[in-house]
Amino acid sequence: MTDIMWDSEIYEKAADAGTPGSGHAAPSLADPRQLRNALGNFATGVVVLTYESGGEYYGITVNSFTSVSLDPPLVLVSMQRTSRSLTYLLERPFAVNVLGDDQLDTALHFAGKPQSRPVAWVEDGAAPRIGGSPAYFQCTPWAGYDGGDHVLVLGRVVSHGQRDDTSPLLFYRGQWSALAQESDDPEGRRP
């Protein structure tokens, strides 16, 4: 493997593929809403990042989360530059809480729509986490990278846990959703 992380020739060829006269039509990026709508066709899970500051517990709902590496164990979240939580996530331990389909109220609460149901905090790691989540990852900040109007935050996983008796909460085309129910059909066909 070479030390070059990005080949500028590949980049230039990709950029040229969408220019007039190249034989390839590229969609206009003049309307960011159209791009956002197209990206919304990719269903994602929903996580809440939680952390402690000044003795208080905080969280933020995000749907841009992915695994990066097993050695070392790294995960990535994409945070808007304008997020008040960003500074905290770059300088202190945080937990990534994968939400279940029964935790919509928690997702809404940490997305800025306070709910009456109290958060079930668990205090057994480097950062507070949300009880009842299908999975969680306790992380320490690893690095932050420029991602345009977002910052890509990498966390090193220091501990994790899971439960297999629940389904994930999903976000698809701007709507909250859940996995389709499993079929009783042994062939796996859906009605």
Side-chain angles (χ1 to χ4, degrees), residues 3-188:
D3 289 337
I4 298 173
M5 294 294 290
W6 185 257
D7 185 330
S8 61
E9 185 177 326
I10 294 171
Y11 174 78
E12 290 167 5
K13 285 180 181 176
D16 288 343
T19 59
S22 68
H24 297 89
S28 170
L29 296 180
D31 184 356
R33 187 70 199 165
Q34 286 182 342
L35 176 59
R36 185 181 182 102
N37 289 343
L39 291 169
N41 284 285
F42 181 66
T44 64
V46 180
V47 301
V48 170
L49 308 176
T50 52
Y51 58 93
E52 180 273 330
S53 178
E56 299 289 325
Y57 296 160
Y58 298 93
I60 184 167
T61 300
V62 299
N63 70 334
S64 294
F65 165 72
T66 189
S67 62
V68 174
S69 170
L70 295 177
D71 187 16
L74 300 175
V75 295
L76 177 145
V77 292
S78 179
M79 300 286 300
Q80 286 185 327
R81 280 189 187 282
T82 57
S83 171
R84 291 178 289 187
S85 299
L86 180 58
T87 302
Y88 298 103
L89 297 175
L90 293 171
E91 63 184 30
R92 68 190 67 214
F94 61 92
V96 178
N97 302 271
V98 176
L99 296 188
D101 61 5
D102 61 344
Q103 292 178 303
L104 175 59
D105 58 335
T106 302
L108 291 170
H109 181 80
F110 290 110
K113 297 175 182 156
Q115 304 293 298
S116 59
R117 186 170 143 187
V119 176
W121 292 107
V122 176
E123 303 167 340
D124 64 354
R129 64 182 179 86
I130 298 170
S133 297
Y136 69 88
F137 305 90
Q138 291 278 356
C139 301
T140 56
W142 178 266
Y145 297 100
D146 180 21
D149 59 1
H150 282 61
V151 173
L152 307 177
V153 177
L154 268 69
R156 181 183 180 112
V157 178
V158 295
S159 68
H160 61 89
Q162 72 182 56
R163 11 180 318 229
D164 296 328
D165 60 345
T166 187
S167 295
L169 178 63
L170 300 178
F171 197 69
Y172 176 67
R173 292 186 175 177
Q175 302 290 318
W176 307 99
S177 187
L179 288 177
Q181 295 296 316
E182 291 186 29
S183 171
D184 291 333
D185 183 349
E187 299 294 318

